[in-house]
Each structure stands twice: as C-alpha cells, then as structure tokens.
Amino acid sequence: MAKRKKNNVESEQPLSSNVHIEDAGTVKNEVITETITKNFMPYAMSVILSRAIPDIDGLKPSHRKLLYTMYNMGLLRGGTIKSANIVGRTMQLNPHGDASIYETMVRLSRGNETLLYPFVESKGNFGKAYSKNMMYAASRYTEAKLAPICKELFDDIDKDTVEFVDNYDNTMKEPRLLPVTFPSILCNVTTGIAVSMASSIASFNLKEICETTIALIKNPEHVISDTLIAPDFVGGGFVIYDKDELEKIYETGRGSVRVRARYSYDKSYNCIDITQIPPTTTSEAVIDKVIELVKANKIKEISDIRDETDLKGLKITIDLKRGTDPDKFMTRLYKITPLEEAFPCNFNVLIDGTPKVRGVREILNEWTKFRLGCVTRRIKFTLDKKRKQLHLLKGLSKILLDIDKAIKIIRQTESEADVVPNLMIGFGIDETQAEYVAEIKLRHLNREYILKRIKDIETLENEIEDLEKTLSSNTRLKKIIISELENVIEKYDTGRKSEILYEISEEQEDDTPEVPDYPVTVFITQEGYFKKIRTANLRLSGEQKIKEGDRIVETVECSNRDEMLAFTTKHQVYKAKIDDFQDTKASVLGDYIPAKLAMEEGEACNYIAVLKEYKGYMIFIFEDGKLAKVDVGAYQTKTNRKKLINAYCDKSPLAAAFYLPEDTEIVLCCSNGRQLLVNTALISLKTTKNTQGVKVMQLKKKNDRVVSAHIYSEGEFEKPWRFRAKNLPAAGALLSAGDIGEQLTF
C-alpha cells in the first residue's frame, strides 16, 4: 500500500489509484538518440522477438500459442469443433484479439493452402491463399482440429522436453518452444516483417529436409545440394533450377528462387488452362496484369481470359486467337506477367533469442542442437521417474521380509501421524518409501502382489543403466534423432509438389527491361522539385511537404511508364521516364530536377510536360506576344538521347508553355491588364522546334509584354466574346467588374 498526505492526514490508497509518473508534465531537453533508445527500442525488440521472426521450432509466438491451446483442448484426436471456440480459448495465451488469432488459424489450415505441411485440419470455407477475393468465412461458421503431423510438434511435451513460461497475465504456463521432431522451420513458408529486419523462409520437401538433416548428423561436411534439391511450394508450379543461386541460399540464407506457373493446352477449345501459380502472386493479379497488357496493345493473341476456379482447385483459362503458338505465347507471358516470379529468401531465424540470418546447413545444425537438448531433457525426466520407482520398490522389498511385522506396526500405532516414522524405524527405510508402504491397500498386503512388484526391480535397474549410457553418449542421442526423422519420413512424406526445371528454352525477346505500369500522381513545384506518388497511396497521404516559400505549380495523374520533357531556361529540353524517379510519399521533398537530370550550372526548369505518347502539341507563348505551336513529335528521337538543344525559340523571353493533347483555348495576360482568348486551332502547326511562331497579341506600348498565360476555364469570363478576336494579332480586352467577380469567385 502507498501512503499519501492530504491536509496533513495520512491515508492508505492502492497503488493503482495513486500512480506517480516521474517528470510528468515537464519539458526536458534530451538527446534524440537517447529518447529513441529508451522508447522505441523496447517496441522494436518486442516485434522482433515476440511477433515477426520465427524461432528454431519453425513457429512464431502466435502460431505456438494457438497450436498449444488446441493441443490442450484434445484436438489432436477426435472430431473438429467450432473455430470460434478455439479462438476464445486461445485468448488466454494471446491477448491480441480474436480477429488476428482466427487469421493465424486460417493460414495454418489445410483449406487455405498457405503451408506445404498444414498444422490445422479445416472444415468449412477457409479461403484460398492464391486468391485475394476468396475470403474465409467467420469463425462461427467453420470448424477445425489439429492435423496428424502435429503429433510431431507435441511429442513428449509433458516429459519436460522444453521450458515452460508464464503467459501474459501469469495465470497459465505455456511452452517457450515446441519439441518438434523434424526441422519444421524449413518445411513451411514463413514470412514476417519486424522493425529494421524481416524474414522470408522458403518451404522444402519434408523428405529431402529430413534426409539432409540425417546426412549432416552423420557427416558435418555433407554437401547440402546432394540431398536437398530445391524448394518445394504448396501451390506446385515449376522451380527453375539455378545451381549457383541455390548454393548461395544454402550457404548464406539469402537469394531468390524463380517459380513458374504450370499450364496445359486444350487443343479442342484452343485455350490454355493455368492450374498452378507462384506463391508470391494471386489469380486476380495474374488476370488483371494480362487484361492491362491487352488494353495497352502489348498482347494481341488473347480473345478472352477468365477465372474458372472451383472446388477442384485453381484454374485460369486463356482463350487464344487462331494460329497462336501456345508454348511460345506462354514463354512470353512468363516474362511480362506474375506467372513467373522470384521468391525472395532471407532465412532470418531466432536462435537462442537472437535473430540471425543463417544458411540451410547452419539452421539444420542449430535445430539438431535444439533437438539434442529436447531428447536429453526427456531422457533425464524418464530416468528420474524410474529412479524414484526403483527406490519405492526397494523399500517394498524390505516389507517382504516380514509382512506381519508391517501390519503389526500399523495396528499398534495409536496416532496416524506416527505410522510412517514407525515403519521407517521398523524396516530401516526412508520417509518416501515408508509413505509408499503405508498407502498400499489392505488387499495388496499379500505375498503374491509384493513378489510381482519386486520382479520389476531388475527390469528397472537395466533400463536405468541403459538410459544413463544413452545420456553419456552423444552418438546414441544422435541415433535417437535419426530414428525419429526416419519415422517422420515414413509417416508424412507425400512427394514433391513443385517440379524442377533444369533446362529452359526461351525465345529471344527484347532485352529492354519491362517498366512496371501503375497509376501515379506527379507533383512539380515552382523551384523545380519533382515528386512521384502511387495514386493508390494518395488517400493515405497527408499534406504534401515542400520547401518554405515554394509552391506546387502542377499536379499530373499519369502512368509510371509515361515520359517527361523538361524545358529549361537555356532553351534546351531534357527527356526522362517517370519510372526513372523513385516512388515516394507526401512527407519528402522529392527530387530536385536540375540535379536529377544533370543540367548545366545555372540552368533551371521552365516547364515540364508529361506524355503518354508523342501526340499533341507544345505551345510556347513569348513576352513579345508571339505564340509557337510545335508538333510534340519533333522531340521524339529514335536513339536514347536525353538532351536536345534549341528546344524552343530564344528570340524573346518565354512567358508560358503548355503541352496540349488536342487544341483548346488559351488566355494570354498582358502587363497592361488586357487579356486575350486564343484558340490554338487557329495557329498553324510547325515541326521546327525553335520556330518564332506567329504574333497573336498586339502590345499597345513599348514596355508592354505578355506576363503569363493559362488554359481557359468555362465560365471564367462573364462575356467571353469580348476577349476573342476575329483577326490576329489583337490587343485583347480589359476585365470588367463581372469578369473580376467571376475570377475572384473561381
């Protein structure tokens, strides 16, 4: 209890009602690194150690808590029960809420097809990992139980094989690790993103992993690739064999594995049926990409594509046009769609509570070390139990010498508490043995029963001797692990699901890398900063960050594949692709264009045009009242030139520039206040970039000049006809009170 003084009177209050926070409400000057260390590091460590990175038993804490709860519920045998019941019970160990627990169960289930060797048998709709639209049903509608392979996860867990710790509220005990009898860490795909690190572990065939482990136990110098051919994925497909890359993964734990979809060709319907896809994509992503390529006129061989997935499994059907070679077409499709993708490998595993990126050899060695510890603890547990039993039986054997004496001692003892001490004195046995004798039922106090029990002494002594030899022999312990691994192979091997492609015949295609196509929004500031943000991320973005005194002058929605033309103050144009700029976010300034495009010293941007294709016009308005309309195709080059000189006329300063896909009306603003409305269709098109253009605005005085221009907005002027001229050049008109009001309102 904590005491507090109020009006000089001490009263006792529970600590919870009088919590004192040190330095609460005060502003302190701290070094930022110290603040981050004190506040952020505990969170980071929690995410790394307790959420995202798997341990050597192949499980994350959320997986382990769920499976252990199901084990305690007796779901290793018997029928399925409602998932909601399992989720509710799991919350005793996992405080993160029912939604996240159920999602964990879904991913562990056979029905979802996420794991090569699922741990949960499912009944009902558990969704599909290969489809983002095929969502799982609510937990009240589905049922589950543990898969048979979970016996290998919990084997002898009640024999002190692993350490138990308190749960989050100290009301229960839970295993820190599960005593898995095979290296499950490499048998199922495991991915996780922590703080400043991540983990991505590919799945391997159980038989190959167990055989590799056995070979390593027998010979630490064993060549991994001799027994472990390549990863194996639940979705099947083809794993493209790359010996150098696989050996790099086996040794370092980093690299990537290319996985290709499996298809069949139906000649009668002239269609391709895709039945297996890489684990990193979904059927919707494949279909959307193909449709996108068809719309972009990059694929012309397809007449239709549809998702025919049913209860039999995944099926994407592509109808081909007549005369299309299906194999050549699929070879091309592999290159430009997610039908072939690389699975990234980053074997980051918690080893003794520390995240470490390790190769297959080191992970299997660490697992063997862990399993040796489990087997040793199990043998010690069994040995202690047999020693206690032997000790009791030896005490019982002394009773055999004189059963009548034992009965007499018990009958003549007046106090119940004195029975055990009197037996200890009468037969020279210790308290534990005497307690055991005293608890024997009266019906068992016969010579036959006691002789039968004493016969077990010799058997126990032999078993204890054998267990002691096993404990002292590392070779015998390893033989036990090898025997268990061989048993796992015999019981659970189902063969490979992913076929291995050793040789690939590919058509020679254009080596130009495919630029990813997705919608982006481009922001250009007055001082020349360029920022590209995925349009899909814009709704999550806050206010755009810009330099003090700067402002955004242009916002363009376009594609990542579009190009840009940057016109500069030195009458040059620099060409670049939107893809050349990295995707960013609202909280950064973006790229400084003069630096990014390597402009000359003192050169700055006048205008940036974003083009999907070289169609339309560039409009240049000069201070002397002239307007030049240049075909944008004049800036297209057959070679990959990045810079063009004489991009526009240098006879008069540039007042404004526009890229117009088609003709429209432009408002020219003069320094004398007059404005002129000009339709660009009236201006003749030029193919010479640095053309002087034609005079469109008549300047009244010598000092008058065109100061700006903009694209006309409907309703901008009260009487637009006042600003249009029948003949060019024209002086334009002054704004009326109504025009000013309209513009202010606008």
Side-chain angles (χ1 to χ4, degrees):
M1 304 294 282
K3 294 182 179 181
R4 64 176 183 177
K5 286 189 177 182
K6 186 175 182 182
N7 298 330
N8 297 323
V9 177
E10 286 192 354
S11 63
E12 290 193 349
Q13 291 282 347
L15 285 172
S16 59
S17 65
N18 186 28
V19 177
H20 173 68
I21 302 175
E22 186 179 357
D23 297 327
T26 61
V27 178
K28 297 178 67 177
N29 291 325
E30 289 187 355
V31 180
I32 186 66
T33 53
E34 294 179 0
T35 304
I36 291 174
T37 302
K38 184 166 59 177
N39 296 294
F40 188 72
M41 284 302 292
Y43 162 75
M45 292 301 294
S46 174
V47 174
I48 292 169
L49 300 180
S50 304
R51 290 195 187 183
I53 308 298
D55 219 310
I56 197 65
D57 63 350
L59 302 171
K60 298 179 185 179
S62 58
H63 303 154
R64 197 176 299 111
K65 294 173 192 292
L66 171 70
L67 295 175
Y68 183 64
T69 299
M70 294 178 73
Y71 173 76
N72 280 341
M73 293 173 72
L75 295 179
L76 195 54
R77 298 180 180 84
T80 59
I81 68 170
K82 284 291 183 183
S83 300
N85 188 358
I86 298 171
V87 170
R89 289 282 293 274
T90 306
M91 291 180 72
Q92 294 178 321
L93 296 179
N94 190 345
H96 292 297
D98 60 327
S100 61
I101 294 172
Y102 184 50
E103 188 171 348
T104 299
M105 180 194 290
V106 167
R107 294 182 181 278
L108 294 177
S109 69
R110 186 177 301 278
N112 188 253
E113 297 186 37
T114 297
L115 303 184
L116 186 60
Y117 300 98
F119 295 132
V120 174
E121 294 288 356
S122 54
K123 182 179 179 182
N125 177 19
F126 275 74
K128 294 296 179 184
Y130 55 72
S131 173
K132 62 183 178 182
N133 291 338
M134 296 176 67
M135 296 297 294
Y136 50 83
S139 59
R140 59 184 177 275
Y141 300 122
T142 61
E143 297 181 10
K145 69 172 185 177
L146 290 175
I149 199 171
C150 285
K151 181 181 183 301
E152 308 303 322
L153 269 60
F154 296 101
D155 192 35
D156 294 327
I157 195 172
D158 55 346
K159 293 184 178 180
D160 193 35
T161 48
V162 289
E163 179 186 356
F164 276 72
V165 295
D166 291 324
N167 70 331
Y168 66 93
D169 62 356
N170 299 324
T171 58
M172 295 176 63
K173 292 285 186 180
E174 60 177 309
R176 197 181 69 80
L177 296 172
L178 295 185
V180 291
T181 60
F182 67 99
S184 60
I185 182 68
L186 293 174
C187 291
N188 280 320
V189 167
T190 307
T191 58
I193 300 175
V195 178
S196 77
M197 65 177 63
S199 179
S200 179
I201 301 175
S203 56
F204 292 85
N205 179 264
L206 182 141
K207 180 181 179 181
E208 293 176 13
I209 280 290
C210 290
E211 287 178 346
T212 304
T213 308
I214 292 171
L216 281 174
I217 292 173
K218 293 179 178 179
N219 175 23
E221 303 301 322
H222 170 71
V223 179
I224 300 292
S225 56
D226 288 351
T227 49
L228 192 63
I229 305 172
D232 190 15
F233 297 98
V234 63
F238 295 99
V239 173
I240 299 174
Y241 187 80
D242 184 340
K243 185 177 180 180
D244 293 337
E245 188 70 11
L246 286 173
E247 288 184 351
K248 175 185 170 185
I249 293 170
Y250 294 163
E251 291 303 317
T252 67
R254 295 187 187 274
S256 62
V257 181
R258 287 168 62 206
V259 186
R260 177 177 284 189
R262 183 190 292 268
Y263 71 93
S264 60
Y265 175 64
D266 190 335
K267 188 175 182 180
S268 58
Y269 291 98
N270 191 30
C271 66
I272 290 172
D273 293 327
I274 299 168
T275 53
Q276 296 175 358
I277 58 177
T280 51
T281 190
T282 62
S283 57
E284 292 83 5
V286 172
I287 293 172
D288 290 346
K289 184 62 178 179
V290 171
I291 292 173
E292 179 186 313
L293 291 170
V294 170
K295 288 181 177 179
N297 207 29
K298 293 190 175 181
I299 294 179
K300 300 178 181 179
E301 300 91 339
I302 294 178
S303 59
D304 188 24
I305 182 170
R306 57 192 175 274
D307 192 344
E308 294 187 353
T309 301
D310 54 17
L311 293 176
K312 295 179 182 178
L314 172 69
K315 186 179 179 182
I316 301 172
T317 300
I318 300 176
D319 292 335
L320 301 177
K321 292 181 180 179
R322 187 178 299 175
T324 302
D325 185 322
D327 293 328
K328 287 185 178 180
F329 171 70
M330 283 301 296
T331 299
R332 181 161 168 259
L333 215 57
Y334 283 139
K335 291 189 175 184
I336 58 177
T337 68
L339 288 173
E340 182 182 314
E341 286 193 338
F343 183 93
C345 294
N346 179 22
F347 291 1
N348 194 0
V349 183
L350 288 177
I351 298 174
D352 296 329
T354 303
K356 297 178 181 178
V357 179
R358 293 290 183 264
V360 170
R361 180 187 302 276
E362 291 170 300
I363 289 176
L364 291 179
N365 286 337
E366 287 292 342
W367 179 86
T368 303
K369 178 182 173 183
F370 161 73
R371 186 59 192 163
L372 277 172
C374 294
V375 172
T376 301
R377 289 175 64 124
R378 180 183 68 192
I379 293 174
K380 285 181 178 178
F381 177 86
T382 306
L383 185 60
D384 289 344
K385 196 171 182 180
K386 289 185 180 294
R387 281 172 175 166
K388 289 178 182 177
Q389 188 178 359
L390 178 63
H391 182 65
L392 296 176
L393 291 180
K394 284 184 175 180
L396 188 61
S397 65
K398 292 183 179 181
I399 302 296
L400 179 63
L401 300 174
D402 196 344
I403 297 175
D404 293 335
K405 180 181 177 182
I407 296 173
K408 184 178 179 181
I409 290 173
I410 294 172
R411 291 187 61 186
Q412 291 181 355
T413 302
E414 295 183 1
S415 173
E416 182 182 350
D418 294 333
V419 171
V420 170
N422 289 344
L423 285 172
M424 292 170 62
I425 296 169
F427 289 95
I429 56 180
D430 61 24
E431 185 177 356
T432 305
Q433 293 170 321
E435 191 73 47
Y436 176 67
V437 171
E439 293 294 330
I440 294 177
K441 293 180 180 180
L442 187 62
R443 63 183 294 179
H444 291 153
L445 285 177
N446 59 77
R447 191 178 186 85
E448 180 186 0
Y449 171 80
I450 296 175
L451 286 174
K452 192 183 295 183
R453 294 303 309 274
I454 290 174
K455 283 182 180 179
D456 295 336
I457 292 178
E458 186 177 352
T459 303
L460 280 172
E461 286 177 338
N462 292 333
E463 289 176 353
I464 288 171
E465 183 182 358
D466 185 64
L467 288 172
E468 288 174 339
K469 287 181 180 179
T470 301
L471 271 180
S472 61
S473 172
N474 204 40
T475 302
R476 295 185 70 170
L477 290 172
K478 287 181 178 179
K479 283 183 179 179
I480 292 174
I481 296 175
I482 290 173
S483 174
E484 291 173 343
L485 289 170
E486 290 172 343
N487 185 50
V488 168
I489 293 173
E490 184 180 347
K491 289 166 65 176
Y492 304 108
D493 175 40
T494 55
R496 286 190 65 90
K497 291 193 175 183
S498 296
E499 189 175 333
I500 299 172
L501 285 181
Y502 290 96
E503 294 183 2
I504 307 171
S505 57
E506 297 184 352
E507 296 294 323
Q508 293 297 321
E509 299 283 346
D510 185 4
D511 291 334
T512 304
E514 188 74 14
V515 175
D517 186 11
Y518 51 86
V520 296
T521 302
V522 168
F523 298 91
I524 303 166
T525 74
Q526 188 174 26
E527 291 191 11
Y529 283 89
F530 183 97
K531 190 187 303 187
K532 181 183 75 171
I533 301 177
R534 286 179 182 254
T535 303
N537 297 340
L538 267 182
R539 61 187 182 88
L540 303 175
S541 302
E543 185 179 352
Q544 298 296 329
K545 181 180 179 181
I546 57 176
K547 286 182 68 176
E548 186 176 353
D550 198 4
R551 65 185 180 90
I552 295 174
V553 294
E554 197 170 356
T555 302
V556 183
E557 292 185 8
C558 59
S559 166
N560 186 56
R561 286 183 175 172
D562 291 351
E563 293 191 24
M564 60 174 278
L565 300 176
F567 295 89
T568 73
T569 53
K570 292 191 176 182
H571 309 93
Q572 301 182 129
V573 63
Y574 290 80
K575 300 173 64 176
K577 297 183 182 296
I578 300 298
D579 184 61
D580 293 340
F581 296 83
Q582 289 187 348
D583 293 340
T584 184
K585 49 189 177 182
S587 59
V588 300
L589 287 174
D591 291 304
Y592 185 53
I593 296 174
K596 179 73 175 178
L597 302 184
M599 292 184 183
E600 298 175 7
E601 187 175 351
E603 193 172 16
C605 277
N606 272 339
Y607 175 73
I608 292 178
V610 178
L611 328 166
K612 188 173 188 66
E613 52 187 349
Y614 283 87
K615 292 182 180 179
Y617 324 107
M618 281 302 305
I619 302 295
F620 299 100
I621 298 101
F622 302 99
E623 290 185 3
D624 61 3
K626 290 184 178 181
L627 186 151
K629 180 180 177 182
V630 181
D631 187 344
V632 77
Y635 300 97
Q636 187 174 13
T637 55
K638 293 182 180 179
T639 57
N640 195 22
R641 292 169 62 191
K642 297 293 185 183
K643 175 182 173 183
L644 301 178
I645 61 173
N646 299 323
Y648 60 93
C649 181
D650 59 356
K651 303 299 182 184
S652 176
L654 186 67
F658 302 103
Y659 164 65
L660 299 179
E662 56 187 18
D663 286 311
T664 187
E665 290 187 305
I666 293 178
V667 179
L668 279 68
C669 303
C670 185
S671 58
N672 60 16
R674 290 180 176 272
Q675 297 190 13
L676 177 66
L677 191 55
V678 179
N679 194 318
T680 58
L682 301 175
I683 310 300
S684 59
L685 182 64
K686 303 292 183 181
T687 56
T688 306
K689 299 190 297 294
N690 61 343
T691 178
Q692 295 183 34
V694 296
K695 189 82 168 180
V696 293
M697 192 167 194
Q698 189 69 49
L699 304 178
K700 293 282 188 180
K701 297 180 181 180
K702 185 177 180 180
N703 293 331
D704 288 347
R705 59 188 179 90
V706 178
V707 293
S708 65
H710 60 271
I711 296 173
Y712 174 67
S713 300
E714 193 66 34
E716 181 178 342
F717 297 130
E718 185 180 30
K719 299 175 180 178
W721 54 267
R722 293 181 55 245
F723 299 90
R724 293 190 179 100
K726 294 182 179 179
N727 299 308
L728 296 175
L734 294 170
L735 295 174
S736 65
D739 295 325
I740 296 173
E742 287 289 336
Q743 290 193 355
L744 288 175
T745 302
F746 178 76

